Every structure is written in C-alpha cells, then in structure tokens.
Amino acid sequence: MHINYIHQLSCFFFRLERHSSMRPSHVSLYLALFRQWNSLKFCVTMTVSRLQLMLVSKIGSKDCYHRTLRELHAWGFLEYHPAEHPRDQAKVSMKNLTLIEQQLSLPVDADCILADVEPENEPKPVPKPGHINKTIQTVNRKENTPPQFDEVLACFEAGGHAEREARKFFNYYESTGWMQGGHTPIVNWKAKASKWMLDKHTAKRRGWQRKNELDNPQDYGAPL
C-alpha cells in the first residue's frame, strides 16, 4: 500500500481537530498503531499485541484499550479484527486517510491542512464572549496611542503649567513606554497628566506652608 507519511498524519490531525468525541487515549493509541504500521512498510493487515500497544500508548486499562480501539474502528480510522480464538492474535487494517479525504473532496495538501484551511461551505466557529471582549480591548488600545509632546505641552499650558513640567511628564512616561506599573498600557494619558499637575500643585502648596512655618515660628512661651 502506498502511503504518504506526512499526508496521513496531517489528515489524522485534520480530523482530530473537528472530532468532538476524541480523547487523548484515541490519539495515543492511533499513533502507536501508526508507528507499528510504518515499521511494517504500511502493510494491508497487521497483527497487534494488546500489551505492547498499551505500553506504547500509555493506556493502563484493558477496558479503555478495547473501547478506544472499537471507537477508532467505528469512526473509520481503521478496521479492527478481534481474535476469534484465545490462541490467535487480533488484527488491524489501517485506513488510507489521504484517499478518504480525496473522495470527500477535502483538502489533502499537508501545508493547507497544517495551516487549518477550512472548506468554504463549512460554518465558521462562533467566538466565545471572552474573545469578543479581548478584540474590543485590543481595538481600544490601538485607538489610545501615546501622545506627541505638542499635545502634552498644550494640555499642561491649559492647566497653567510651564513647558518644563510638561517635558518632565512626557520624558517620564516615554521612558516607561506609556505603561503603568511596567505592564499595563495607559489608556487615558490626559487623566494621568491631570493627576500629575494636581500632585505638583499639592506639593507646591505644602512647600509654601512649610516655608511660612519656618519664617514665622510659633512662640510656645506666649500665653494662650
């Protein structure tokens, strides 16, 4: 049997992505069977050893092994021929998935399958609400781009502050990449600028109060 190694595995993973009932045991058992099939030059039918396949596929239960094998048979990945006598060995005939995909008019090119190219008539998956929110947040971040110095200067002049203070604000956040705490993008830089000017004004008032206290020390010896 002529089998293309890459196309066969690509078709398997192509089906795996679209099969909601497949579990890790199906993947590990199929890959164990595929490994044996490849070592036997892709023969038509091969005898299989339950103990060996359970060891390679890391399946620890006989019931799980037989159930997984029967389900792979029912889903068209292979043909399972159980032993009719205790002394006989079970046999498996692997299916050429590439040929099946061609008959179903599905993409069989390895690059297209690995790139997850879907048929045009297949419905697109509906994104989860969380994904929509992430998209909206990403768009908002793109809209709130870092300001230019001219914008910052105009904002500070409108608040009654000199160019020197605007330059200090711009240089500080420009050095952080306009990030807050080193990891959170600043969404509204004007709010940051307003807080900067308010803090500066508060600090200036405290400085004046401190200077007045030093210039006019209170006489604690005077009677109340």
Side-chain angles (χ1 to χ4, degrees):
M1 183 184 297
H2 177 71
I3 298 294
N4 185 299
Y5 188 101
I6 300 297
H7 283 187
Q8 180 74 13
L9 282 183
S10 297
C11 288
F12 171 72
F13 287 112
F14 182 76
R15 284 189 169 197
L16 173 63
E17 292 176 356
R18 288 154 180 77
H19 207 299
S20 59
S21 300
M22 291 191 72
R23 299 182 299 276
S25 58
H26 295 101
V27 180
S28 60
L29 182 56
Y30 183 87
L31 292 180
L33 287 165
F34 182 82
R35 178 192 177 204
Q36 179 178 340
W37 190 35
N38 178 50
S39 66
L40 296 175
K41 310 298 182 183
F42 299 114
C43 60
V44 178
T45 303
M46 60 183 180
T47 58
V48 294
S49 168
R50 175 178 57 81
L51 294 177
Q52 182 181 2
L53 288 176
M54 289 178 63
L55 177 65
V56 175
S57 62
K58 308 305 179 185
I59 296 178
S61 167
K62 289 192 296 182
D63 293 338
C64 178
Y65 167 80
H66 288 295
R67 181 178 66 252
T68 303
L69 198 55
R70 287 193 298 268
E71 287 174 344
L72 288 173
H73 170 90
W75 295 335
F77 289 94
L78 51 85
E79 289 185 5
Y80 172 49
H81 309 284
E84 298 180 357
H85 192 274
R87 294 183 180 180
D88 296 337
Q89 284 187 299
K91 295 182 179 181
V92 168
S93 299
M94 302 290 286
K95 293 290 189 68
N96 186 345
L97 299 182
T98 305
L99 182 61
I100 295 175
E101 305 302 330
Q102 287 176 343
Q103 294 173 350
L104 295 176
S105 300
L106 295 177
V108 295
D109 181 72
D111 296 333
C112 292
I113 292 172
L114 293 176
D116 195 21
V117 178
E118 300 180 356
E120 295 182 358
N121 57 352
E122 185 169 340
K124 300 296 182 181
V126 179
K128 297 179 180 180
H131 294 174
I132 297 176
N133 294 336
K134 288 182 180 179
T135 303
I136 294 174
Q137 291 175 4
T138 303
V139 173
N140 290 338
R141 288 176 184 173
K142 290 181 179 179
E143 291 177 351
N144 294 279
T145 55
Q148 300 297 322
F149 175 70
D150 294 341
E151 300 176 83
V152 175
L153 179 59
C155 180
F156 272 76
E157 287 180 345
H161 290 263
E163 179 181 350
R164 182 170 176 270
E165 199 62 33
R167 179 71 66 179
K168 287 170 61 177
F169 172 82
F170 180 81
N171 290 343
Y172 175 79
Y173 283 106
E174 186 75 11
S175 65
T176 64
W178 295 93
M179 304 285 283
Q180 182 176 352
H183 54 80
T184 304
I186 296 176
V187 178
N188 191 342
W189 68 267
K190 290 186 178 180
K192 279 289 179 186
S194 298
K195 185 177 184 302
W196 180 288
M197 289 185 282
L198 179 62
D199 292 343
K200 180 68 176 178
H201 181 69
T202 303
K204 187 179 292 186
R205 288 189 60 185
R206 288 175 180 171
W208 290 338
Q209 291 175 358
R210 179 61 178 166
K211 185 175 183 302
N212 291 334
E213 290 174 1
L214 294 176
D215 293 342
N216 303 294
Q218 181 153 359
D219 184 5
Y220 291 99
L224 298 176

